[in-house]
Amino acid sequence: MLWLLAHNNERPLGHGAVAREVWRLYFHWYGVLSHGAFPAHDTLWQYPPGAGAVLLAPGVVPGLSYFQAFVALTLVTDALVTAALARAGTRPGRTLLGAALWTGGLPLLLHLPLARYDVEVTALAVLSLLALSRSTRACGTLAALGALVKVWPALVLLGLERGRPTRSAWLSAALTGTVTLAVLVVSFRNPLAFLRQQGGRGVQIESLGGTVLSLARHAGWRGTVRYRYGAMELVGPHVRAVATASLVLTAAGFALLLLWRVRARRWTAATPYDAALGAVLLFTVTSRVISPQYMIWLLGLSAVCLTSRQTTQRPVAALVVAATAISSVAYPTFYAEVVGCTWTGCLLMLARNGLLVTAAVLSLTRLWRATRRPRSTAPDTAVGVSLSVPAGASAGPSA
């Protein structure tokens, strides 16, 4: 991955576009943040205030440029996740498959993970889930910190067993989130400016809705692709309806997850892991944006699931790995085809998003079946079952 990053300017690797995000955009935001304010009027700033801490961190690493420090911190975080997964996999009833998936799966995205801060976000979610077996408070604290950086890690708390574990983790998350947010509000100006930019986003070319509209262009739909809010978005008739449909599907997905939680009756050690993966998959496929770095989240959660022998998500993890491989073909290698809505680009997105939709449906189905109430079975001594006793022998114990 480091070798690919060093050759970032080659045509198959995106002509430098992947690394440019760090040394141009992140470094620009670092300059604004270092003066005590969030980029309030920047339409590209769409992240919760906790992201500011991640983007400021490379600036305190001595002896390195911002870009070098960012990559170094990402590598350290990657090593931390690998070590945590490996340690979890050596415990009784666990497996090292999770560490293997993370180690082998992340390079499928080429050098992209080293030039985005999603590895750090994923680390908080992974560590939150792995801490659950020892401390529900630590689980809640890490989930809250992750949510303040990029929202979605809050979903890892959805699958906690009802009762004391849920109350403890959610209370810890609420306290951590409130205190940390208060510190950020006091320390920086415009901490909630991201809400305005996030609300204005449209339908990204790589989303499920974007795939539908891209295919519609071959059927006569007269839309175009423009660079808006930091992504290539589709503009034209019915785009607003597709964006609204995505939001409705997201709300429906949340309702489905709440229904699962209410009706779930059986929990295993792997249930919180499986529920986290299912929830993030569902919110990913219904989102108006599915950037390639989102696959880092899914790889991390899949890896956590595979640390447990009780997981129901092994086939889902395989689908996530396959979708990850296709993502790296679509971006950066054939991104011009995707943006141009050519048949090649459309088929790549159809394959990637089709795998993600299949993974989401399969994940929720297997989770639902694994946590429903087991059927009651009649005991061996039920009425109608006779015990064979030799003639003259006593059925009871001898004196």
Side-chain angles (χ1 to χ4, degrees):
M1 292 167 70
L2 281 170
W3 185 88
L4 292 171
L5 189 62
H7 294 78
N8 173 69
N9 290 322
E10 299 293 330
R11 181 183 176 186
L13 298 177
H15 285 299
V18 174
R20 190 182 303 131
E21 187 107 352
V22 178
W23 61 260
R24 177 179 292 179
L25 185 60
Y26 288 5
F27 183 63
H28 166 68
W29 286 339
Y30 165 78
V32 177
L33 289 163
S34 62
H35 287 86
F38 287 93
H41 303 293
D42 189 340
T43 58
L44 302 183
W45 179 258
Q46 302 154 21
Y47 309 106
V54 177
L55 297 177
L56 283 170
V60 301
V61 178
L64 297 176
S65 68
Y66 184 87
F67 181 83
Q68 292 170 336
F70 183 91
V71 174
L73 290 176
T74 303
L75 286 170
V76 170
T77 307
D78 175 22
L80 176 63
V81 173
T82 305
L85 290 168
R87 183 179 180 184
T90 58
R91 295 173 185 166
R94 298 298 187 98
T95 171
L96 288 170
L97 283 176
L101 184 144
W102 176 257
T103 304
L106 203 61
L108 291 176
L109 290 168
L110 307 181
H111 53 307
L112 180 72
L114 299 182
R116 299 292 186 275
Y117 76 88
D118 294 85
V119 170
E120 286 82 348
V121 181
T122 303
L124 290 168
V126 168
L127 295 176
S128 172
L129 288 169
L130 293 180
L132 181 59
S133 60
R134 297 194 174 192
S135 172
T136 53
R137 292 180 180 178
C139 172
T141 295
L142 291 166
L145 293 176
L148 283 172
V149 176
K150 218 165 188 180
V151 180
W152 69 265
L155 293 172
V156 304
L157 300 179
L158 187 69
L160 272 59
E161 186 173 0
R162 289 194 294 268
R164 186 177 178 277
T166 291
R167 290 194 298 270
S168 175
W170 288 12
L171 178 60
S172 177
L175 289 174
T176 301
T178 301
V179 172
T180 307
L181 183 59
V183 171
L184 291 169
V185 168
V186 171
S187 304
F188 294 89
R189 300 185 299 276
N190 309 313
L192 302 180
F194 75 100
L195 294 173
R196 180 171 60 254
Q197 318 301 347
Q198 190 63 244
R201 298 198 76 164
V203 178
Q204 189 207 29
I205 191 73
E206 295 166 89
S207 67
L208 187 61
T211 301
V212 173
L213 291 172
S214 295
L215 288 169
R217 290 190 69 179
H218 293 276
W221 179 69
R222 294 177 296 176
T224 58
V225 178
R226 294 181 186 172
Y227 183 74
R228 300 173 68 245
Y229 294 96
M232 302 305 293
E233 294 187 353
L234 288 148
V235 179
H238 313 300
V239 171
R240 185 178 296 274
V242 172
T244 302
S246 296
L247 293 174
V248 171
L249 287 174
T250 299
F254 186 69
L256 181 63
L257 290 168
L258 290 179
L259 179 62
W260 162 78
R261 182 170 176 82
V262 169
R263 300 191 63 177
R265 292 295 180 269
R266 298 176 63 244
W267 260 266
T268 69
T271 300
Y273 306 165
D274 296 352
L277 177 58
V280 176
L281 265 170
L282 195 59
F283 276 78
T284 298
V285 298
T286 60
S287 174
R288 295 170 293 172
V289 180
I290 307 181
S291 297
Q293 59 264 30
Y294 289 15
M295 302 307 301
I296 300 173
W297 316 346
L298 300 176
L299 285 172
L301 295 177
S302 297
V304 174
C305 290
L306 293 191
T307 61
S308 174
R309 297 184 186 276
Q310 296 177 293
T311 184
T312 63
Q313 304 294 303
R314 287 182 180 175
V316 177
L319 291 173
V320 168
V321 170
T324 301
I326 295 176
S327 287
S328 64
V329 177
Y331 182 86
T333 309
F334 286 98
Y335 197 57
E337 302 286 335
V338 175
V339 173
C341 300
T342 66
W343 277 114
T344 299
C346 287
L347 291 176
L348 281 171
M349 286 294 92
L350 188 62
R352 197 280 301 269
N353 290 340
L355 285 170
L356 288 180
V357 170
T358 303
V361 172
L362 183 61
S363 178
L364 268 294
T365 301
R366 293 177 71 87
L367 177 67
W368 197 289
R369 290 176 178 173
T371 55
R372 67 184 178 184
R373 186 188 298 276
R375 293 181 180 179
S376 58
T377 56
D380 292 340
T381 55
V383 176
V385 178
S386 60
L387 299 177
S388 175
V389 181
S394 171
S398 58

